[in-house]
Amino acid sequence: MAGSRRVSGIRTLPVVAVAAVAALVLALAMIGAPGTAAGEIPRVWHVAVGGTGDCAQVACATIDTAYQRAAPGDVVEVAAGTYPDQVLSPRQVEGPTILVRPEAGAAVTLGAVVVYGQGVTLSGMVVGPLTLGETAVRAGFDSVTVIAPDRQALTLRRGSRDVFVTRSRLLGGADHDRIQVQGAVDALLEGNLVGGTTLSPGSTAHVDCLQVLAADGLVVRGNTFFACATQTVLVQDSFGWGVQRVRFERNVIQDCGQRDPACSAVFAVHLGTPGTTWVHNTVAGAVLVLAGAPQTMRANIFGALLFDWSDLERLCFGSTVVDNLLTTNCPPHVLGRRPNRGNLVGRATFVDDPAARPGPEGPDLHLQAGSAGIDAVGGGTTAEGGPGDTWAHEHHEHGEHGEHGEHGEHDGPDGPGTSATDIDGQALLGPADMGADEWVPVGDGAPTPTP
C-alpha cells in the first residue's frame, strides 16, 4: 500500500480512531429531545468524598444522587478521591445523555459500578467491576480503567440496550472472565484493551477475555484481546436466548502464545453458535468452528481455521470464507467452491512473535514488510489456484449491507458494511490488506518506531 505513515503497536486506538469514537460518544450524548437547550452551557453537578450537599451549590456524596437530579445534557463532575461502590438507579432520560467525569485534573477511583439508568456515560476514571444492568439504555463507559483482580471485569446483562464500552482498559486478574455479554441488545465494544488474565495455582475456572453468551446486535470493533487462560474469545448460546447479529471487525486477538499452567488456551476463538460475521480481524492462534455453527468470514488473518471434524464438509461449505489468509482443515475442493473464494493458504509475518507470551500491554501484530496478506483482498487465489471473486461484488449483488449502522459503520473500499480505516485509523487504499492492520511503507518501507 502506498502511504505516508506506519504506526507500530496495536494496543489502543490512535488519534484518528480516538477522534471517531469520541465523536460517536458525543453524538450519543446529543440524540433525542432537548434537555439543556441548544447553545446553553450544561449545568454542572458536583460529587465529593463525604459530600453532604444538594450536588448543586455543595457537593453530594454519590454519583447516583447527582445523576437523579441532573437534566438531560447536564454534567456530573466528581472530585478527586477514592469512592465506594456506586449504583445508578433506574430513571428515564430522553434526549442528550448525562456525562459523569472527574473534575479537571482530578484522579478519581470508584468501587464497583452498576448502571440501571438511562442516558448516561461515565468517563475518565479508575473503576472496579462494571455492570450494565437490565434496565440500562443508552448507557456506558468511555476511557475507564477497570481494576478487578478477583472478579469479572464487565457484565452486559439481558435487557440492557444501546449500551457501550469504548477506549477502556480491562487487564489482569485471575480466575474470572474479563467481559461477559449476557443478552444485551445493540451493544458496542470498541477500542478496548482486554487480557492478561490467568489461572491461580490449582484453579479449574474457565477464563476468557470475552464471552458472548447471548446477544441480539453486538459490534466488537478495534479491540485488542490477548492471553486469557482458557480462550481469548468464546461465542456460545449458553442461556438459550440466542446469539444473533454479532459482528467482529478490525480486532487483534491472540491466544496465550507460550503456554504454561497459568495460561494454557488451545484456541484463540471458540465459535459454538452460528451466524457471527468476521471482517478484517487478525487472530494469532486457532479459530474453532463447532458443528452447526457456520460463519461468515472475510479478509481476516487466522493462524488456523479449524472446523469440527464431525461435520467438516457441511461446515466448510455452509460457512462463507472469502479473501482470508489462513491454514485450515477445510478440504481444498470445498474451500474453493462458491461462496468460498479468494483465500490464501499461509501465515502472516508480524512485528511480535505470536508464539511468545504477549506483554502486559498486549501483542504488536502489525504486519511486517513482505508478509503474506498485504494488498491481497480481492486479489487472492482459491485453494484450487483460480482467481478469487471479491466480497464487495458478490454481496452488493445480493443487497447485503453492514449491520449496526447506528454505531457509525460505513461502506469502506472493501465493500458494503466494512470499515474505511484499519485498527490504527489508517485509511484503506485498495487493494486492502487482510487482517486488522493496513501495512503502509514509509520511505524505504521500514515501520515508524513507536513514540
Side-chain angles (χ1 to χ4, degrees), residues 57 190 228 296 300 374 378 404 416:
Q57 301 302 318
E190 183 165 18
C228 287
T296 299
N300 303 283
I374 292 175
H404 303 286

Side-chain angles (χ1 to χ4, degrees), residues 3-81:
S4 60
R5 73 175 183 91
R6 165 74 166 81
V7 182
S8 62
I10 301 178
R11 290 175 173 85
T12 55
L13 283 178
V15 174
V16 175
V18 165
V21 177
L24 167 63
V25 173
L26 179 61
L28 288 172
M30 300 180 68
I31 293 172
T36 300
E40 290 186 7
I41 298 175
R43 184 173 184 179
V44 178
W45 303 81
H46 300 278
V47 177
V49 175
T52 58
D54 62 358
C55 311
Q57 301 302 318
V58 179
C60 53
T62 70
I63 292 173
D64 187 56
T65 302
Y67 165 66
Q68 297 296 334
R69 297 179 180 182
D74 283 355
V75 175
V76 175
E77 290 196 340
V78 185

Side-chain angles (χ1 to χ4, degrees), residues 61 69 74 127 134 240 250 306 393 432:
R69 297 179 180 182
D74 283 355
V127 296
E134 294 85 345
R250 295 287 178 190
L306 303 177
H393 174 71

Side-chain angles (χ1 to χ4, degrees), residues 79-91:
T82 300
Y83 295 77
D85 297 351
Q86 304 286 312
V87 177
L88 275 63
S89 304
R91 67 165 287 193

Side-chain angles (χ1 to χ4, degrees), residues 35-403:
T36 300
E40 290 186 7
I41 298 175
R43 184 173 184 179
V44 178
W45 303 81
H46 300 278
V47 177
V49 175
T52 58
D54 62 358
C55 311
Q57 301 302 318
V58 179
C60 53
T62 70
I63 292 173
D64 187 56
T65 302
Y67 165 66
Q68 297 296 334
R69 297 179 180 182
D74 283 355
V75 175
V76 175
E77 290 196 340
V78 185
T82 300
Y83 295 77
D85 297 351
Q86 304 286 312
V87 177
L88 275 63
S89 304
R91 67 165 287 193
Q92 288 190 335
V93 176
E94 297 183 0
T97 61
I98 297 164
L99 175 62
V100 180
R101 68 188 182 195
E103 291 182 349
V108 175
T109 300
L110 307 179
V113 181
V114 182
V115 176
Y116 293 108
Q118 298 184 7
V120 61
T121 300
L122 286 84
S123 179
M125 295 174 278
V126 176
V127 296
L130 303 177
T131 301
L132 288 161
E134 294 85 345
T135 55
V137 178
R138 292 193 305 118
F141 303 91
D142 177 60
S143 300
V144 299
T145 297
V146 183
I147 307 298
D150 55 1
R151 293 174 61 184
Q152 190 165 290
L154 170 65
T155 306
L156 282 66
R157 289 184 181 163
R158 188 183 191 188
S160 62
R161 178 166 49 86
D162 292 327
V163 292
F164 57 90
V165 178
T166 55
R167 301 185 297 177
S168 296
R169 297 166 61 87
L170 302 89
L171 300 172
D175 306 326
H176 294 272
D177 303 316
R178 291 300 81 191
I179 302 174
Q180 275 193 6
V181 181
Q182 299 178 352
V185 176
D186 290 330
L188 172 68
L189 300 172
E190 183 165 18
N192 302 295
L193 181 62
V194 184
T197 305
T198 59
L199 287 178
S200 301
S203 173
T204 58
H206 186 113
V207 178
D208 301 330
C209 294
L210 170 63
Q211 289 188 351
V212 181
L213 306 180
D216 182 4
L218 172 66
V219 173
V220 184
R221 182 192 298 128
N223 305 279
T224 296
F225 300 102
F226 69 98
C228 287
T230 308
Q231 285 146 166
T232 312
V233 174
L234 169 69
V235 182
Q236 179 173 287
D237 184 8
S238 295
F239 301 121
W241 302 338
V243 175
Q244 54 196 355
R245 297 192 300 123
V246 174
R247 181 183 183 90
F248 287 78
E249 183 178 349
R250 295 287 178 190
N251 300 285
V252 164
I253 300 170
Q254 182 170 351
D255 59 15
C256 296
Q258 183 178 357
R259 293 174 175 81
D260 58 33
C263 192
S264 58
V266 176
F267 301 105
V269 178
H270 177 125
L271 299 176
T273 190
T276 63
T277 297
W278 293 72
V279 180
H280 275 293
N281 299 279
T282 295
V283 181
V287 177
L288 174 65
V289 181
L290 291 182
Q295 313 293 322
T296 299
M297 297 170 165
R298 192 260 171 170
N300 303 283
I301 294 174
F302 295 134
L305 178 59
L306 303 177
F307 294 90
D308 191 336
W309 285 103
S310 68
D311 200 4
L312 183 61
E313 184 158 329
R314 188 189 67 84
L315 276 176
C316 292
F317 187 64
S319 296
T320 299
V321 185
V322 177
D323 284 343
N324 300 279
L325 174 64
L326 45 71
T327 61
T328 182
N329 63 343
C330 195
H333 73 280
V334 176
L335 191 63
R337 187 194 312 165
R338 279 184 177 274
N340 303 330
R341 286 290 186 272
N343 298 291
L344 299 176
V345 176
R347 296 185 182 276
T349 305
F350 303 116
V351 172
D352 282 353
D353 179 3
R357 178 68 55 82
E361 293 294 308
D364 186 344
L365 298 185
H366 284 94
L367 297 171
Q368 292 211 52
S371 173
I374 292 175
D375 293 351
V377 173
T381 59
T382 67
E384 298 173 333
D389 296 338
T390 65
W391 165 284
H393 174 71
E394 290 184 353
H395 284 66
H396 184 69
E397 280 184 344
H398 292 88
E400 296 186 17
H401 297 281
E403 300 167 344

